[in-house]
Amino acid sequence: MNRSNIKNVAEIAQVSISTVSRVLNNSANVSDELRSRVYKAIEETKYSVNPIASTLKSARRNQIAIVLPSLRQTYYTDIIKGLSDYCYERQVTPVILESGGEPEKEQKIIENLEKQWVDGIVLIPGKNAGTPGYLEFIDSLSQLKKQDSRIPVVLAECTDLSSHLDCVRVDYEKAFYQMTYHLLEIGRRRVAYLSCPESSSLHEICREAYRRAVRDYGYQVDDALTRCSEYTILGGYQAMNEMLADGLEFDGLICVNDQVASGALHALKESGGRGEKVAIVGFGGVAMSIITTPSITTMIAPRYKLGSEAARLLFERINGASGDARELILSSHMAIRESTLRTAFKRLDTMFEE
Amino acid sequence: MNRSNIKNVAEIAQVSISTVSRVLNNSANVSDELRSRVYKAIEETKYSVNPIASTLKSARRNQIAIVLPSLRQTYYTDIIKGLSDYCYERQVTPVILESGGEPEKEQKIIENLEKQWVDGIVLIPGKNAGTPGYLEFIDSLSQLKKQDSRIPVVLAECTDLSSHLDCVRVDYEKAFYQMTYHLLEIGRRRVAYLSCPESSSLHEICREAYRRAVRDYGYQVDDALTRCSEYTILGGYQAMNEMLADGLEFDGLICVNDQVASGALHALKESGGRGEKVAIVGFGGVAMSIITTPSITTMIAPRYKLGSEAARLLFERINGASGDARELILSSHMAIRESTLRTAFKRLDTMFEE
DNA sequence: TTGAAAGCGGTACCAC
DNA sequence: GTGGTACCGCTTTCAA
C-alpha cells in the first residue's frame, strides 16, 4: 500500500503544502489557477487525505461506540439503524460492541473504549441494569464525566435511576398499562405477565404499570401470575412451561417483548390447545410477531427513533453541551393482531405498515 | 476532555519520552527503577495511549469494515459475530456498514472506505451480485488490489466469478441438492423452488443443484416451479401468493432462506390448509424457523465460522499474503423439523442444539 | 540502559 | 493569495 501524501501532491502541483490543505478544506482563499493544479495532482496521484493524521490535532476520533447486549435481535438492530444513519450524516463512524448482556463484559468493554479514545458511547444495558452494583457502575461513568476526563455516555432502553446520564427510552409505563388494559377490555379476567429478569430496571417499572391497569379495571392483582424470563424465545418458552407446570390459570398474557411472547405461545400450543385460549400481547413490534400462528398483538416501539435520538443527545454532549441529565421518553402504539382477536388470518402485507 | 499525554507522563516520572514509550511497548531494555516510576506516573495521570497518534506512523488503522445488506437478519449478524470475535482478539475494530443490498450504495460505501483508510473490507454482496455490472465492480476492486494501491477485500456469501478475490461461502450446491433430495425421499414428487433475486449469483448455483437432484431422482424438472423472491419474509409471502394465484401444483418446496420459507408458509396457510400439504425446507438455520407452525426443516449454515474464516483470510492479506485468490467452501447440515415430518410438536428446547 | 530528535501526514497560525 | 513552520502524540532510529 503506497499511498501518496500531501507533500507529494504539493510537489506535483508546484505549490506549498498549505495550499493543498486549503484546497482540501475548501478554503476560499485560493486562486483558480492553483486550485486546479492541485486538483489535477490529486487526481494524478489518487490522493486521499489520511483520516488518522487529520484528526490527530483535534484529538477527535470521529468515532462513537454502541454497546448493546446482542446483535441478534432486530429490536436492537433497528435502534442501531437509527443511530448509524445519524452518525453517517455527520461523518462519524459508529462501532458496535456486543456485551452479551453481561455487566462484567459491559464494564470491560467500556474501560477498553476509554483507551480507544472514542468520542462517545451509547449504552444499551443488559440484564443487570437496575441492580445496586450496576447503578454504582453507571454512577462511576457519570462521576468521571463530571471530572471532565472521560467520555460522554448516553443510556438507551433503560432508566438511569441515579439520573446522572442522559437516557432515551420507551414509555414503558404507558405501554404496559395499555397492553394489560387491552386484554381486560376484550374480556380477559386473569392476565399473566411474563417479565424480564428481575435484575433489570424494566422489571419493576413494567410490573407496576401492569398492576395498576389490573386494579384500575377493578380486579385483584395476583402476583403468582408474574414470572421472569430471559429476553429470548427460549426464555419465554421455558418460563411458560413452568407456569403451566405450576398449574396457573390465566386467559391473558402480556410479555416483556415479542420474542418471549413467541416462545410462550409455542409452549401454550404444545400444551394442547391453550394457545387459542390465552390472548397474548407482546412488546416491540418486530417482524417475527407477524408470522407466528396466531400473529401476536404487540406494542410497536419507535426503535429507529430511539436510536437517532440517543445519537442526537450524545452528539450534543460531545459538542460540549453541559447541563443536567435529560430523559427522553418515546411513545409506542399498539398493533392488534390475531392473538387478541379471534378472527380469520390477516393479510401479511397489510401488517407490515409499521 | 483533558487527557494527559506521553510528555506529561515523562515529566512526572522524570524520564525521557522514549523511556515512557519503551515501557508502554514492553520493551526489555528499561531498568526496573525507571519502569516503576513510569507506571506510577501513568497511574497518577490516568494516562492511556492515544491510538490515533500511535498508528499514524504505521498507517494502519487497525480497523476493518464489514459491508453487508442488512443487520436485520440474524443470518448476517451471526456472521458478524464470527468476524468480530476474530477481530477483537487481534485488537482490530470491525466497523459495520449496511448497504441495503443495493449495488450503487455498496460501491459508494466502498469508495468511501478507501478514503477512510480502513485496513481491509469484508463484503457480503447484496442482490445484484452476479450481474455483469457487478462483476466489473468486483473486478475493479481486485485490479486495484494488484496495483498495490488499494485495500484488501474478501467476499463472503458469494462466489467471485472472476476469481480475483478471496471468498468464503457455504457449499450451496451440496445444500440445495440435499434439500431437494430430502423432499423427494419423503415422497414428494413435485418440488418447487423459491429462489433469491435472479441477479444474485446464488440463483443459478442453487437452481442447478435443485435441478440436478430432481433429475437424479428420476423426475422431470418443471421450470414453472422456480420462482424468485426477495430475501425477506414478505418476499417469500408475496412470491408464494403469486405461485398460488398461478395455480401451480406442488407438494414440496425449498427456499433460498428461512425468512422466505416462513413467508411462503404463511401464504400457504392463508390459502386454506395447503400449509399442511406442502413440505417445506428452508436454508440458514435461524431461530425463527423453529417457532413457526409447523417448524421448518432447514439447512443449518455455519454462520459464525463463515465470519471468522472471512476474517482470517482478510487478515492474511492485510499482513501481506500474496498469491492467488482462494475460495473457502463450508458445509451445512440439515435439521429436520415438522415441516417435513408429519408428527407431533417437538420440544422447543431440544431444537436449539445448533 | 537512556535520551535527543527526526519523522508520520496533516492543520492552522503567522508572515509576506 | 501564498508559503513557511510549529505543532498534534507517538514510534523509532541513532548516539551517548
Side-chain angles (χ1 to χ4, degrees), chain A residues 12 46 54 68 135 145 154 179 188 190 203 236 244 282 302:
Chain A
I12 293 181
K46 289 185 180 153
S54 59
L68 83 173
L135 285 178
K145 191 193 68 177
V154 169
M179 287 154 67
R188 304 302 159 140
R190 287 182 59 77
H203 173 63
L244 293 171

Side-chain angles (χ1 to χ4, degrees), chain B residues 6 36-37 43 45 48 51 60 73 78 85 95 124 147 153 162 176 181 183 213 251 257 280 285 322-323 345:
Chain B
I6 199 172
S36 67
R37 263 168 38 205
E43 187 79 10
T45 57
S48 72
R60 276 261 182 112
Q73 294 184 225
D78 288 345
D85 285 353
V95 173
I124 305 178
Q147 281 179 229
V153 177
S162 62
F176 281 77
Y181 208 85
L183 288 175
D251 52 8
N257 71 16
I280 301 182
S322 56
F345 276 110

Side-chain angles (χ1 to χ4, degrees), chain A residues 1 72 78 150 269 293, chain B residues 1 72 78 150 269 293:
Chain A
M1 298 259 284
R72 305 196 61 204
D78 288 345
R150 296 278 173 115
K269 291 204 292 192
T293 309
Chain B
M1 298 260 284
R72 306 196 60 204
D78 288 345
R150 296 276 174 117
K269 291 204 291 192
T293 308

Side-chain angles (χ1 to χ4, degrees), chain B residues 78-105:
Chain B
D78 288 345
I79 294 178
I80 290 179
K81 192 74 169 63
L83 259 158
S84 307
D85 285 353
Y86 194 95
C87 288
Y88 292 132
E89 282 167 20
R90 289 159 184 78
Q91 325 271 27
V92 169
T93 304
V95 173
I96 299 166
L97 290 309
E98 289 184 70
S99 66
E102 304 301 333
E104 312 78 44
K105 184 140 188 225

Side-chain angles (χ1 to χ4, degrees), chain A residues 1-47:
Chain A
M1 298 259 284
N2 242 332
R3 304 236 187 201
S4 68
N5 58 25
I6 199 172
K7 200 175 155 197
N8 250 296
V9 175
E11 279 164 8
I12 293 181
Q14 306 261 50
V15 298
S16 72
I17 291 179
S18 320
T19 301
V20 178
S21 179
R22 279 189 202 104
V23 172
L24 291 172
N25 298 293
N26 299 314
S27 162
N29 306 321
V30 181
S31 67
D32 289 351
E33 159 66 12
L34 291 201
R35 187 181 296 275
S36 68
R37 271 185 9 221
V38 170
Y39 275 135
K40 215 168 126 196
I42 288 175
E43 189 78 10
E44 205 172 305
T45 56
K46 289 185 180 153
Y47 170 75

